[in-house]
């Protein structure tokens, strides 16, 4: 089962490369990245996610799905580590489930973008990621 079939709730953003949905029952923000990404798309998308996250005061969990990402995006990895994750944690992020793409270049980019933080846990399936998030307070 992919994330598209487990994403339910309120659609907050629907763009060509990123969809964001909020599940009011679990208080999980679902971020589904689609297709080829680059620095500009990642920074724009990341800033939109931060803005939407801040509007959901009960939300502290994100399921970040990269399964549909194609190709590398390492030129945005440093921004993600040094700018985005610190801002998200400051805004209340406690649990970030990251589902990797099967594309090796996208995987390497994601690994380079990962902060040295206990907030992020990686997964290979949406079901595992969702169950992990549901088990967290």
């Amino acid at each position: 089962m992919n994330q598209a079939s487990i994403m339910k709730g309120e659609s907050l953003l629907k763009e060509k490369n990123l969809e964001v949905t909020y599940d009011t029952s679990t208080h999980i923000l679902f971020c589904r990245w689609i297709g080829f990404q680059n620095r500009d798309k990642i920074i724009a998308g990341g800033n939109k996610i931060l803005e939407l996250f801040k509007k959901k005061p009960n939300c502290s969990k994100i399921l970040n799905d990269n399964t549909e990402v194609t190709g590398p995006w390492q030129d945005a990895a440093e921004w993600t580590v040094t700018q985005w994750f610190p801002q998200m944690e400051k805004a209340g992020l406690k649990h970030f489930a990251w589902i990797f793409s099967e594309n090796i270049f996208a995987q390497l980019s994601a690994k380079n973008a990962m902060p040295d933080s206990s907030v992020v846990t990686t997964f290979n399936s949406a079901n595992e990621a969702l169950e992990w998030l549901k088990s967290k307070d």
Side-chain angles (χ1 to χ4, degrees):
M1 179 186 301
N2 68 12
Q3 184 192 329
S5 57
I6 63 171
M7 282 175 66
K8 59 186 190 291
E10 176 187 4
S11 177
L12 303 179
L13 179 72
K14 192 169 181 106
E15 295 183 349
K16 206 166 101 174
N17 70 310
L18 175 63
E19 292 181 5
V20 180
T21 306
Y22 182 66
D23 184 339
T24 54
S25 64
T26 60
H27 302 291
I28 296 172
L29 194 70
F30 294 92
C31 303
R32 178 177 165 228
W33 295 87
I34 305 157
F36 185 79
Q37 305 293 330
N38 62 32
R39 180 178 169 81
D40 291 342
K41 287 180 180 179
I42 295 220
I43 290 174
N47 284 329
K48 287 175 186 171
I49 291 168
L50 175 62
E51 187 181 308
L52 294 168
F53 183 79
K54 285 179 174 178
K55 291 179 180 175
K56 300 294 179 189
N58 294 328
C59 184
S60 64
K61 306 175 202 178
I62 291 180
L63 193 151
N64 189 61
D65 187 353
N66 281 189
T67 55
E68 297 174 72
V69 172
T70 55
W73 50 272
Q74 72 274 4
D75 56 345
E78 184 179 344
W79 175 83
T80 305
V81 172
T82 62
Q83 303 292 315
W84 191 77
F85 271 110
Q87 290 179 62
M88 289 297 293
E89 288 186 45
K90 186 177 177 192
L93 178 65
K94 292 189 173 73
H95 305 289
F96 189 89
W98 199 330
I99 308 166
F100 281 174
S101 170
E102 289 185 11
N103 179 292
I104 189 68
F105 299 108
Q107 275 183 29
L108 290 170
S109 296
K111 287 176 183 173
N112 289 336
M114 201 163 302
D116 183 18
S117 167
S118 61
V119 167
V120 181
T121 301
T122 62
F123 298 90
N124 292 316
S125 89
N127 281 340
E128 288 175 325
L130 185 60
E131 289 310 310
W132 178 78
L133 284 172
K134 286 180 175 178
S135 75
K136 299 298 177 185
D137 291 333

